[in-house]
Amino acid sequence: MRLKRSLYIGELNKNFIDREVIVSGWVLRRRDHGGVIFIDLRDKTGLLQVVFEEGIDPQIHDLADSIRIEYVISVKGKIRKRPPGMENPKIPTGDIELVASDVEILNTSKTPPFPLDEDISEVSEAIRLKYRYLEMRTLDGLKPFVFRHKVNQTIREFLNSQGFLEIETPYLTKSTPEGARDYLVPSRLYPGKFYALPQSPQLFKQILMVAGVDKYYQIVRCFRDEDLRADRQPEFTQLDMEMSFVEEKDVMQMVEELIAYLFEKTLGITLRTPFPVFSYETALRDYGTDRPDIRFDMKLKDISSIAKETSFKVFRSALDSGGIVKGLKAPSHFSRKELDDLTKFAQELGAKGLAWIKYTKTAASFEEKWSSPIVKFFEKSALEKLEEIFDTSDEKATFFFVADKEDIANLVLSELRKHLAQNLGLISEKTYSFVWIVDFPLFEWDDEEDRWISMHHPFTHPKEEDIEFLETDPAKVKSKAYDLVLNGIEIGGGSIRIHRRELQERIFKLLKITPEEAEEKFGFLLTALEYGAPPHGGIAFGLDRLIMLMLGKKSIREVIAFPKTQRAQCLLTGAPAEVKIEQILELHLLPGWEKKKEKS
RNA sequence: GGGGCUGUAGCUCAGCACGGUUAGAGCGCCUGCCUGUCACGCAGGAGGCCGCGGGUUCAAGUCCCGUCAGCCCCGCCA
C-alpha cells in the first residue's frame, strides 16, 4: 500500500481546505466528463467527491479512467472548496471536494449484483444474504450493527455499574430433556456420546449463584433446533442475568432500570417505569394471549352468559360442549368482502367461523342499530347487555364473536385483535409499550406425553402459598415467573429458581422425571443445591428481538450479520454442508463404528 | 408435518386468466464522445436453461403434475 490513509472521510470539513490528505475507500459512483472525472468515494464514515482533472496529471487521469464502481482506492490530494453553485447539500462534505494528485488502485471489483448506491430493501433477501458483505458496505448498511454494538456496550456499562460479573459458560455441554430440540455435537474421544449446544446457560448461571457470584450476566449465543420464523433463528443471542438473595420484584426492578437506561442512552427515549404488570389470567382474559400488545385497547370480552340466552345454535353448542363465546369490538364497519376475509383469517387459525354484528349508534331505532345475519337470534335484552359490556361510544362499530374451546377462542381473537388494529391504523409505530406478565401456572398439561410439563422450565420456584398443592392440585400452582412483553412480542422471561434439593426433586417427580434420570441429567445441579445454594433468580432476554423492535425492523435477520434462512441455511457459506467420510468415521457416526474401531 | 405467496436479463418487474412469429421495460453493464457533474448527459452495443423435471398439445414462459429454493404463518419453540 503506497498511499496510507491519513483520516476518515467523516472527519473532513471546511477546516481542511488547502490541506493535503489521503483517503481510502470504495467507489460508489463515477461521473466521467472526459476531461474531468468525478468519483464519489465512500468509507464507513461518509462520502466524498474526488475530482480527477486532466490538466493536473494526465497519467493519474488515465488511471482514474479505468476505475469502476466498488474498486478499492486510496487517493491523495488537496481539499478544495467547491466552486460557487457546485455545492451538494445532500451530503455532509458537499461544500468541499478532493482534487486528486495521486491515486492507488488497491483492488478491482466485479460489478456488484445489486446497486449499492440506493435503497436496496427492494432487492430479494436471498440475494442480499448471499452477498451480505455488499449489503453491509452500503451507506446505511452498517447502521443496525453499529446500533447493536452500542446496545451491547450500554448493557455492559449499566450492569457493570450495578456490580454484575460477566462470566462465560460452555458451548459444548450436556443435552437436557426438557425444552427445545438440541443441536448435538458428536464426541470423537467418546464414541457414541454427544455434547449438546446450550439452549441457554440456565444451569450454569444457577451454579454460579451457588459459587457466590451474586450477580451474573452474559451476552451469550443460544441454540435451539426448532423451525424458524421472522423472529426466531436457530442460533440467537440472549442477555442472560442472574442474581442472588432476590425476590421477583428485585429482578423486575433491576430490569426496568436497565431497559430505561438502555432506551435513554441508545434511542434518547425516556420510558415510564415501573412497567404495568398483568397476571397471566388477566392477560388471557382481556387479550387472549400471554403476550398482549397494549399499544391499543380493544379488549376481549367473555359473552358466554349472553350467548346462553340467545337461540343461536353455534353459540349454544359451543357452550354445551364446555366452550366459551368471546368477542371484541372494532371501531369501524366492514364491507361484505372484508368480513369474508376476516372469517377466512379466523378459520385459518382454527375457528369454525366468525360471527359479526354491525352496530350503528346513531341509528333511528334500537332495531336499526344492529345489523347481522345472526341478530335475529338475540333478544333485545341480550343486545342491551352487549352495549353495556362493550363500551359503545363509537359511532360505528362491529362486534366479532368466536364460539369455541377457550384456548381456540383466545388464539383467534387475539390474532384478530392485532390484525384489525393494524388494518385500522390503531397502532402508533413509535410507541414502546412494555408489560410484565406474572403469576403464570407452574405446569401445563401435555396431552401427547400424558403428563404435566413446566410452563417455564423445571427450575422455576412455585409460589410459596401454592407449594402445598403441588401433589394434590398441580393445575392450581402458580410460579414465581415473569415475562417481559414489548409491543406484543415476548422479549424476556425469567423466574425465581428453586434453591433447595428437596423441592427440586418434588418438581422432577411431578414432571415424571425419575430419580435416576434426574440424577443422570441434572445430578450436578442437585449436588450443587446441597452445598448452600442461596435463593436466586434471574431473567434472559432475546437480544436480537429487542434490537429488532428498537430499530422498528420486521425480522431479526435484519439485526444479525449472517443469519440463516427459514430452512436454516446460511446462503453466504452454504452451511450446512456435506463433510468428508473420514470426518464421519472419526466421529463414529456410521453404523458399526464399534467394529471399525476394534479393527484399527 | 401442514397452509399461503413468490421464482422471466446482473437487479426490480411486465408478459401467463384467453397457448401461436424473433420474450419486453427501467436501472445496471460494455464501447465511443464530452472540463463541473453529483441518480451527469448523448450515441451505439452486449446480455435469457422464462427455477428444475415430467406431462398435455401441431405448438408451452403461458395449461397440468411433481420437485427445488426464498418469504409469511400454524404446529413446534423463546
Side-chain angles (χ1 to χ4, degrees):
Chain A
M1 206 164 48
R2 197 164 50 81
L3 300 178
K4 179 93 176 117
R5 174 170 67 193
S6 67
L7 44 55
Y8 285 109
I9 286 168
E11 298 173 60
L12 289 167
N13 56 45
K14 273 186 256 179
N15 298 331
F16 286 83
I17 287 169
D18 288 335
R19 280 173 59 180
E20 184 158 88
V21 299
I22 301 174
V23 291
S24 301
W26 288 265
V27 176
L28 178 67
R29 279 186 285 260
R30 78 187 203 108
R31 294 174 292 279
D32 185 350
H33 288 250
V36 60
I37 297 171
F38 299 99
I39 280 177
D40 291 339
L41 190 69
R42 177 194 64 224
D43 69 14
K44 75 165 182 177
T45 66
L47 203 55
L48 177 68
Q49 172 164 284
V50 180
V51 193
F52 295 89
E53 291 174 329
E54 200 168 22
I56 291 183
D57 185 339
Q59 263 186 315
I60 298 298
H61 190 268
D62 282 352
L63 207 50
D65 202 45
S66 72
I67 290 173
R68 292 292 177 272
I69 280 171
E70 294 311 311
Y71 276 29
V72 189
I73 61 174
S74 277
V75 191
K76 183 171 157 185
K78 264 196 183 146
I79 296 296
R80 178 169 77 185
K81 190 170 161 48
R82 289 204 195 182
M86 300 301 159
E87 299 87 355
N88 181 0
K90 288 184 208 160
I91 59 172
T93 61
D95 50 356
I96 56 172
E97 61 191 8
L98 177 63
V99 190
S101 60
D102 195 1
V103 63
E104 183 180 7
I105 297 177
L106 298 166
N107 206 349
T108 61
S109 170
K110 289 172 79 172
T111 303
F114 47 82
L116 302 194
D117 63 339
E118 48 194 69
D119 179 25
I120 61 162
S121 61
E122 295 301 309
V123 176
S124 78
E125 198 179 353
I127 289 163
R128 283 159 50 201
L129 288 183
K130 182 173 174 189
Y131 299 97
R132 189 61 148 188
Y133 44 90
L134 294 181
E135 177 177 9
M136 292 172 78
R137 197 195 284 163
T138 59
L139 278 174
D140 290 334
L142 287 178
K143 260 192 177 169
F145 306 104
V146 172
F147 182 80
R148 188 170 177 144
H149 167 80
K150 198 169 175 200
V151 167
N152 283 359
Q153 294 317 307
T154 308
I155 287 170
R156 290 198 163 101
E157 186 182 298
F158 177 84
L159 292 176
N160 295 348
S161 77
Q162 298 291 319
F164 281 79
L165 215 53
E166 182 170 15
I167 297 181
E168 293 174 73
T169 53
Y171 282 167
L172 293 176
T173 178
K174 200 169 170 180
S175 175
T176 49
E178 302 281 302
R181 193 177 297 115
D182 284 317
Y183 274 101
L184 296 177
V185 180
S187 159
R188 173 179 58 85
L189 295 175
Y190 299 92
K193 293 190 176 178
F194 293 83
Y195 301 95
L197 302 179
Q199 296 176 27
S200 84
Q202 180 62 35
L203 298 180
F204 288 107
K205 70 174 171 178
Q206 288 190 236
I207 285 172
L208 287 173
M209 293 303 104
V210 183
V213 168
D214 195 77
K215 287 190 187 128
Y216 143 93
Y217 79 97
Q218 188 180 186
I219 291 172
V220 63
R221 198 68 55 83
C222 302
F223 306 85
R224 294 178 191 178
D225 189 3
E226 298 290 349
D227 287 344
L228 285 72
R229 289 285 188 283
D231 61 355
R232 263 160 49 186
Q233 284 273 307
E235 54 177 311
F236 62 101
T237 304
Q238 276 189 353
L239 166 61
D240 194 41
M241 295 165 60
E242 197 77 4
M243 301 155 76
S244 290
F245 307 103
V246 291
E247 301 283 350
E248 291 107 301
K249 61 175 170 31
D250 301 306
V251 179
M252 289 161 75
Q253 194 187 326
M254 182 64 79
V255 164
E256 286 176 352
E257 282 174 37
L258 165 67
I259 296 281
Y261 184 80
L262 179 63
F263 271 65
E264 188 76 53
K265 279 274 183 167
T266 58
L267 292 175
I269 290 173
T270 308
L271 296 176
R272 284 178 59 185
T273 53
F275 301 145
V277 182
F278 291 178
S279 74
Y280 176 80
E281 212 181 316
T282 306
L284 240 55
R285 186 192 68 202
D286 291 348
Y287 302 94
T289 173
D290 60 1
R291 38 192 176 87
D293 190 338
I294 59 165
R295 284 175 297 175
F296 56 97
D297 199 41
M298 234 159 86
K299 287 196 185 76
L300 313 187
K301 306 284 181 189
D302 189 336
I303 62 143
S304 297
S305 62
I306 298 174
K308 205 163 55 187
E309 290 164 21
T310 69
S311 50
F312 188 32
K313 261 193 212 152
V314 172
F315 284 4
R316 301 293 294 268
S317 68
L319 292 170
D320 289 343
S321 53
I324 62 166
V325 182
K326 227 170 158 176
L328 59 79
K329 182 205 66 181
S332 176
H333 284 169
F334 299 89
S335 71
R336 189 65 215 212
K337 185 182 181 310
E338 286 170 325
L339 291 167
D340 285 347
D341 287 345
L342 290 169
T343 303
K344 204 179 150 208
F345 177 85
Q347 284 170 335
E348 278 166 4
L349 288 163
K352 292 181 196 72
L354 184 66
W356 51 267
I357 298 177
K358 202 161 134 184
Y359 177 83
T360 312
K361 192 180 177 66
T362 51
S365 67
F366 183 82
E367 284 68 30
E368 285 168 50
K369 279 186 178 178
W370 310 88
S371 162
S372 161
I374 66 162
V375 77
K376 59 177 178 258
F377 300 115
F378 285 68
E379 299 288 330
K380 190 177 177 195
S381 62
L383 293 173
E384 278 168 350
K385 276 185 197 158
L386 280 184
E387 268 187 316
E388 204 181 303
I389 289 180
F390 295 94
D391 163 39
T392 50
S393 54
D394 308 285
E395 281 299 301
K396 299 174 182 177
T398 306
F399 300 97
F400 292 97
F401 304 107
V402 174
D404 216 309
K405 278 184 251 161
E406 188 169 359
D407 55 342
I408 298 214
N410 274 335
L411 170 75
V412 172
L413 285 168
S414 69
E415 291 301 320
L416 186 68
R417 178 178 170 271
K418 274 195 285 186
H419 185 75
L420 288 169
Q422 215 139 44
N423 291 355
L424 296 173
L426 303 180
I427 304 174
S428 63
E429 291 298 333
K430 289 261 148 65
T431 308
Y432 295 94
S433 285
F434 289 89
V435 56
W436 287 105
I437 310 297
V438 300
D439 297 343
F440 285 89
L442 187 62
F443 306 109
E444 53 190 339
W445 182 257
D446 188 314
D447 273 332
E448 263 176 49
E449 297 199 35
D450 194 36
R451 66 174 181 108
W452 294 100
I453 59 169
S454 295
M455 191 143 185
H456 190 53
H457 57 52
F459 318 106
T460 308
H461 203 294
K463 293 264 187 197
E464 301 294 343
E465 63 269 27
D466 293 336
I467 290 179
E468 56 178 308
F469 304 115
L470 271 176
E471 285 78 14
T472 52
D473 190 0
K476 189 178 173 181
V477 179
K478 298 222 172 14
S479 69
K480 295 187 182 178
Y482 31 81
D483 277 3
L484 187 59
V485 174
L486 170 54
N487 294 354
I489 294 180
E490 185 197 328
I491 57 162
S495 62
I496 301 302
R497 328 297 182 184
I498 296 165
H499 68 282
R500 291 180 197 244
R501 179 168 180 142
E502 313 83 70
L503 184 56
Q504 188 65 68
E505 282 177 337
R506 274 172 78 186
I507 300 290
F508 282 153
K509 197 175 169 193
L510 267 155
L511 296 172
K512 295 253 174 75
I513 298 173
T514 64
E516 294 73 29
E517 196 184 354
E519 190 55 43
E520 194 221 315
K521 298 290 181 188
F522 309 112
F524 61 102
L525 175 73
L526 293 171
T527 303
L529 294 184
E530 289 179 301
Y531 285 95
H536 61 284
I539 193 166
F541 292 91
L543 197 55
D544 315 275
R545 277 187 189 174
L546 179 60
I547 293 167
M548 167 186 87
L549 289 169
M550 291 176 86
L551 290 176
K553 303 283 186 190
K554 293 226 152 48
S555 159
I556 60 171
R557 293 188 298 272
E558 300 290 324
V559 302
I560 296 172
F562 304 108
K564 308 273 189 291
T565 68
Q566 192 155 48
R567 289 280 310 260
Q569 286 189 46
C570 173
L571 294 182
L572 179 78
T573 63
E578 290 177 1
V579 295
K580 283 190 189 158
I581 187 73
E582 288 80 1
Q583 289 176 277
I584 295 174
L585 289 175
E586 198 164 44
L587 293 168
H588 325 286
L589 288 174
L590 287 182
W593 51 266
E594 278 159 311
K595 280 181 207 149
K596 284 193 183 89
K597 197 173 172 252
E598 279 160 25
K599 275 183 208 160
S600 60

